[in-house]
Amino acid sequence: MGRHGSVSILFKTLSNQTRLDILMLLRDSCLTASEVAEKLNINLSTAYRHLNQMVKVGILKVVKAPEGDRYDFSSVQVFRMLEAAVELLNENERERKKKISSITSIEESSGSKKLLDMRGQICPVPEITTRKELEKLQPGETLIIVCDYPLSGERITSFSLREGYEVATEQIGSVMKIYIKKP
């Protein structure tokens, strides 16, 4: 099949939203298939099927543990590739929003708040974009994220709290507003 066939298989594997959701879950820690199924609210056989497909392609590896097999990344290169893809999508999205004059960020007169509109974006775009924007915040500044993909809202809230930010959320229909203040 050669190198091009392998790359094609890799991208086909990564083109599945459930697999991308699984990769974002595994970003924080190794998980068993049962834990993945529970966190994504999918059945266990579906979790196994997706995990095993990613093992077969070489994205994940199985780590033997007393409580059962855990899944982890076989290489940090997958994250780098996902982050590069998200960056490309973000550039395209910024250009699109400029053309239709959507607001992608605002600052109040004090310059203490920024808005990140991630509506219409799915995992892992909101999480990776939020992490990059949080790195730019100064102490006391607040980043407001607006997203409509539920798993992204949960993940952004979770990692922000773990990293010591002050977090508040507001649910408006299917849209979640997340307020993250840098201490």
Side-chain angles (χ1 to χ4, degrees):
M1 189 181 297
R3 292 183 81 184
H4 296 294
S6 298
V7 171
S8 173
I9 292 169
L10 173 67
F11 280 104
K12 283 180 186 176
T13 302
L14 293 174
S15 69
N16 181 283
Q17 186 60 48
T18 302
R19 291 186 194 126
L20 289 174
D21 291 344
I22 290 169
L23 291 176
M24 293 310 295
L25 283 176
L26 294 175
R27 180 182 183 122
D28 296 328
S29 65
C30 299
L31 297 172
T32 65
S34 297
E35 292 168 330
V36 168
E38 181 182 331
K39 289 178 185 280
L40 293 181
N41 197 25
I42 59 177
N43 67 48
L44 185 57
S45 64
T46 300
Y48 270 119
R49 183 171 43 86
H50 288 298
L51 288 163
N52 289 332
Q53 176 64 29
M54 289 189 283
V55 168
K56 181 180 175 184
V57 173
I59 297 169
L60 298 178
K61 65 181 177 183
V62 177
V63 178
K64 299 293 183 186
E67 67 277 3
D69 290 348
R70 293 193 161 283
Y71 294 84
D72 195 8
F73 285 91
S74 60
S75 169
V76 72
Q77 297 296 340
V78 175
F79 276 129
R80 290 184 183 145
M81 185 176 61
L82 287 173
E83 287 178 345
V86 166
E87 188 59 35
L88 174 66
L89 292 173
N90 285 340
E91 286 176 25
N92 291 341
E93 184 66 13
R94 282 190 292 271
E95 289 302 314
R96 185 186 72 78
K97 285 185 177 184
K98 282 181 188 176
K99 289 178 184 172
I100 61 172
S101 67
S102 294
I103 299 173
T104 56
S105 71
I106 59 170
E107 292 188 21
E108 293 182 344
S109 57
S110 66
S112 63
K113 290 188 180 183
K114 295 181 181 181
L115 174 69
L116 185 60
D117 187 348
M118 299 307 300
R119 288 177 286 188
Q121 299 292 325
I122 57 175
C123 179
V125 176
E127 293 92 343
I128 292 173
T129 304
T130 298
R131 285 182 189 269
K132 289 183 182 243
E133 288 300 316
L134 287 174
E135 291 173 5
K136 299 176 188 176
L137 284 185
Q138 299 299 315
E141 286 186 320
T142 301
L143 178 64
I144 304 169
I145 299 99
V146 180
C147 67
D148 55 4
Y149 189 67
L151 184 59
S152 292
E154 292 172 23
R155 291 187 48 74
I156 290 168
T157 301
S158 177
F159 74 68
S160 298
L161 287 169
R162 270 195 321 272
E163 293 178 13
Y165 292 93
E166 295 175 35
V167 179
T169 61
E170 177 182 6
Q171 189 74 37
I172 305 165
S174 64
V175 175
M176 179 180 265
K177 274 183 146 176
I178 306 164
Y179 301 83
I180 304 172
K181 183 175 181 182
K182 187 169 187 172

